[in-house]
Amino acid sequence: MSDTATVYNLTPEESMRRTALKSALPPTLRRVLIVGGGTAGWMTALILARSLTELGVEITLVESPTVGIIGVGEGSTPWLRGFFDSLDIEESEWMPECHATYKCGITFDGWSTKPGCESYFHPFASMLDNLTMTQFVRNSDAKIRGADVCADPDRFFIAARLAAKQLAPKPAEHFPFDVWHGYHFDAVLLGQFLHKKALQRGVRYETAHVTHASLNEQGAIASVSTREGITLSADLFVDCTGFAGLLISQALKTPYVSFAENLFNDAAVAMPTPIGAAIPSETVSTAMRHGWAWKIPLTQRFGNGYVYSSKFCSADQAETELRQRLGLLESDTPARHLKMKIGRVTQHWNKNCLAVGLSQGFIEPLEATALLFIQQTASVFVDFLLRGDLSEAAQGRFNAHVNDHFEGTRDYIVTHYKTNSRTDTEYWRANAANLNLSEPLKQLLSLWMSGNSIAPHVRKQSLGRGYPVFSWYSIMSGMGIFPDPGALHAPTSEEQTFGIAEIDNLLERSAANYRDHREVLSRIPPRRRGQSLQVYFW
Ligand SMILES: Cc1cc2nc3c(=O)[nH]c(=O)nc-3n(C[C@H](O)[C@H](O)[C@H](O)COP(=O)(O)OP(=O)(O)OC[C@H]3O[C@@H](n4cnc5c(N)ncnc54)[C@H](O)[C@@H]3O)c2cc1C
């Protein structure tokens, strides 16, 4: 019933395959230089070190003493769990150091004005949701054809139930169902933790401000020079310099594709608030006048921010609106203002340079996907390296793969805006009226609005790429987007096989096996070994 992707726990065959692949590493690759020490730089260093250090490849990271890291980015998808697991780093080690909490999903508040849809939850789906998720998709398909059934995502997923009750997605010992979850964390502390780990795993570290990159006759990077008078050469350069894109954009002049026509937000303002005794296990994303506000619970504070479009509102207006919302109008809590560049480079791997993180591109943080891009770009690149294929054709395949991931994610984020039904400001009206949609997104929306199931297309990933079936159904049904059939008809027996009361009952009994979030955070359990976590694409 479900197509799944195993994230960790390598089989013996996979281990052997990797060993064989390692012998294919090109002999010309002896030194890697990563420029930039934000989350992207340190995650990439650890991913490269995991496979390359034992093969004798030297990895150095150089970071400017004067340019700081962006210091935001406090939510993740469930894939981050695979990152730590693959490095054999236990939650009990990294989470307390980074003030981290568990994340069951995201509540979207105020994005829709349709009755009953003013708030909905985008869950991370799990094994436990197999039956109810199927029913959710069936009900949604029935509702687009005019049946009067419940298609509210909040009613079908264990993650929604856990978040509503502020429970941690960690089952009691006797309950054998792990729940798929992401994390919230302090971005600065995470950077420091990864830095420490990377040094322990053999990554070298230099503090110096890179001022110039020299190119060789083939136009590849030969070395970089620093303000401190050092010249650093390498066989492979990794650009993790954030929005500056020092190597990939400034030195190699890689063309850039802007997503500004699709996604209007280009700025953010952030400020913390204190956290109380209870710690929520979800991110809340609330629609504001000219964008949306995040509320992210950490063990020591809430992280808050307002992502907005500078075309529709000034930085001052955004700060005032956020302060008002947080009750901080009279407070001297400092606000951080940030600019965002939304889009991607055309080649993430160009000549001997790989761009990872904000330097390769950024889609605004609505679904907290940036760390996943970092993880996937670096991991897939290592797979290419270990296959020994550094040809132009391989670069082309790699870049097409990463670009596809960017476009798919962009389309999913665009859908949040396109399907909004707010009319209170020009910002929301312009988003709903925006016709700059990709062809695959137009096809998906048109299928749905003509009463046809999108599930077979998304399952094959021919439409809705990058997101699973349940995510597409959560957003469309959650926002209350249904063709208008006039009056709804009573469901036929085929259209409704389970009653919502039975589903409620099942989820309620399952939720009883999970404990209070704060309590679990005070004593984080060890990873359950032998259980391979799976991402559900149903
Ligand atoms: C408002 C906002 C909210 C976000 N929320 C999320 C979220 O919830 N989830 C998520 O996954 N992501 C989120 N992100 C994205 C996330 O913050 C970034 O993807 C992540 O922090 C990685 O950044 P980076 O390492 O690429 O860049 P940066 O953190 O900017 O690091 C750049 C590094 O390059 C170095 N550098 C720069 N110039 C030079 C030079 N000349 N010489 C040497 N070194 C140099 C700097 O010193 C620094 O170490 C958010 C981003 C924004 C803007």
Side-chain angles (χ1 to χ4, degrees):
M1 190 204 73
S2 58
D3 292 334
T4 61
T6 301
V7 174
Y8 68 93
N9 283 5
L10 295 183
T11 59
E13 294 77 31
E14 178 61 8
S15 266
M16 276 167 58
R17 190 182 72 86
R18 291 214 171 176
T19 311
L21 289 177
K22 280 177 185 172
S23 58
L25 185 73
T28 47
L29 184 75
R30 305 272 37 113
R31 289 167 310 159
V32 178
L33 182 70
I34 299 171
V35 184
T39 316
W42 291 114
M43 280 180 77
T44 306
L46 279 160
I47 290 169
L48 295 183
R50 180 182 66 203
S51 301
L52 304 185
T53 305
E54 60 179 315
L55 303 177
V57 177
E58 187 185 291
I59 300 166
T60 305
L61 186 148
V62 60
E63 176 183 26
S64 167
T66 48
V67 182
I69 65 167
I70 192 143
V72 283
E74 300 188 326
S76 86
T77 64
W79 294 93
L80 192 64
R81 191 169 173 187
F83 168 76
F84 283 110
D85 286 344
S86 70
L87 295 169
D88 222 7
I89 298 173
E90 285 281 340
E91 288 177 345
S92 53
E93 182 183 0
W94 78 267
M95 286 182 69
E97 275 196 47
C98 302
H99 300 171
T101 64
Y102 292 110
K103 171 178 171 185
C104 295
I106 308 176
T107 283
F108 289 91
D109 254 344
W111 288 71
S112 171
T113 54
K114 306 211 166 167
C117 299
E118 296 85 355
S119 174
Y120 76 93
F121 189 74
H122 179 195
F124 298 134
S126 304
M127 226 184 280
L128 207 54
D129 295 314
N130 259 348
L131 286 176
T132 52
M133 177 159 53
T134 312
Q135 192 57 35
F136 168 57
V137 171
R138 282 209 189 127
N139 277 16
S140 300
D141 277 346
K143 194 154 182 175
I144 58 177
R145 290 191 297 269
D148 187 8
V149 288
C150 173
D152 172 1
D154 299 30
R155 307 287 292 276
F156 293 87
F157 293 86
I158 183 70
R161 201 55 65 108
L162 300 182
K165 292 172 180 282
Q166 303 193 326
L167 299 174
K170 291 281 159 186
E173 273 295 298
H174 64 271
F175 198 61
F177 296 102
D178 234 334
V179 170
W180 199 228
H181 63 78
Y183 303 97
H184 306 115
F185 42 81
D186 181 305
V188 173
L189 297 179
L190 179 66
Q192 289 168 4
F193 177 85
L194 298 175
H195 179 159
K196 179 180 76 180
K197 276 285 159 193
L199 296 196
Q200 282 168 7
R201 295 182 183 198
V203 174
R204 297 169 183 221
Y205 178 56
E206 302 260 1
T207 322
H209 184 85
V210 173
T211 50
H212 177 74
S214 305
L215 307 186
N216 61 23
E217 306 88 69
Q218 289 80 40
I221 301 172
S223 63
V224 296
S225 325
T226 73
R227 198 163 51 198
E228 292 74 6
I230 316 166
T231 298
L232 298 161
S233 44
D235 307 310
L236 171 73
F237 292 82
V238 187
D239 187 343
C240 294
T241 58
F243 284 129
L246 208 66
L247 306 182
I248 198 79
S249 294
Q250 294 186 36
L252 293 180
K253 312 265 181 261
T254 309
Y256 184 84
V257 180
S258 167
F259 292 160
E261 298 295 308
N262 313 93
L263 292 166
F264 300 162
N265 296 341
D266 59 359
V269 50
M271 64 187 84
T273 48
I275 192 148
I279 303 184
S281 48
E282 63 178 338
T283 299
V284 178
S285 153
T286 306
M288 304 280 278
R289 285 177 59 72
H290 308 287
W292 60 277
W294 76 77
K295 183 163 193 166
I296 288 186
L298 307 183
T299 54
Q300 316 291 326
R301 64 172 167 85
F302 274 112
N304 308 282
Y306 181 4
V307 176
Y308 62 95
S309 166
S310 63
K311 278 205 195 103
F312 293 84
C313 119
S314 70
D316 277 354
Q317 280 171 320
E319 184 176 332
T320 305
E321 196 187 340
L322 182 63
R323 284 188 181 278
Q324 221 155 15
R325 174 178 162 70
L326 300 174
L328 295 178
L329 263 183
E330 306 302 324
S331 152
D332 55 4
T333 305
R336 279 196 64 206
H337 286 269
L338 300 134
K339 282 277 173 208
M340 306 188 304
K341 195 168 130 195
I342 307 297
R344 61 163 174 82
V345 292
T346 49
Q347 293 159 284
H348 308 262
W349 176 10
N350 187 359
K351 301 193 188 293
N352 62 343
C353 175
L354 176 74
V356 188
L358 297 173
S359 63
Q360 72 180 128
F362 182 50
I363 295 171
E364 64 143 281
L366 188 57
E367 289 279 350
T369 46
L371 265 54
L372 170 59
F373 278 105
I374 295 171
Q375 196 180 333
Q376 295 230 328
T377 304
S379 305
V380 173
F381 181 74
V382 168
D383 284 348
F384 271 73
L385 275 189
L386 296 181
R387 243 177 266 146
D389 186 3
L390 306 188
S391 63
E392 265 186 41
Q395 287 200 6
R397 284 197 307 279
F398 175 86
N399 289 323
H401 172 84
V402 182
N403 285 338
D404 231 33
H405 187 190
F406 264 87
E407 314 276 305
T409 303
R410 178 203 59 200
D411 285 357
Y412 190 74
I413 304 296
V414 165
T415 307
H416 290 270
Y417 294 97
K418 181 67 189 163
T419 56
N420 96 83
S421 49
R422 296 176 66 108
T423 49
D424 55 330
T425 60
E426 185 48 35
Y427 170 86
W428 289 107
R429 290 191 293 269
N431 268 296
N434 189 12
L435 295 177
N436 289 309
L437 308 179
S438 72
E439 276 311 311
L441 180 55
K442 279 186 201 159
Q443 279 178 39
L444 184 141
L445 295 178
S446 133
L447 270 176
W448 178 275
M449 292 311 284
S450 52
N452 289 299
S453 177
I454 58 170
H457 307 274
V458 179
R459 204 174 300 131
K460 278 190 296 190
Q461 290 282 283
S462 55
L463 291 179
R465 277 203 295 250
Y467 275 84
V469 172
F470 74 84
S471 286
W472 280 104
Y473 277 77
S474 293
I475 191 170
M476 297 301 288
S477 295
M479 294 287 281
I481 304 300
F482 297 105
D484 182 7
L488 294 174
H489 65 256
T492 61
S493 55
E494 229 172 55
E495 283 171 336
Q496 187 163 34
T497 46
F498 291 96
I500 197 71
E502 277 111 325
I503 291 175
D504 267 340
N505 189 2
L506 178 72
L507 292 181
E508 202 56 25
R509 279 192 291 137
S510 300
N513 294 293
Y514 293 80
R515 289 184 293 135
D516 175 71
H517 191 199
R518 185 180 273 283
E519 187 193 318
V520 171
L521 290 171
S522 67
R523 207 156 3 101
I524 293 173
R527 185 188 344 158
R528 285 187 179 190
R529 295 193 184 258
Q531 217 186 37
S532 73
L533 282 180
Q534 308 198 296
V535 185
Y536 280 71
F537 281 98
W538 204 94

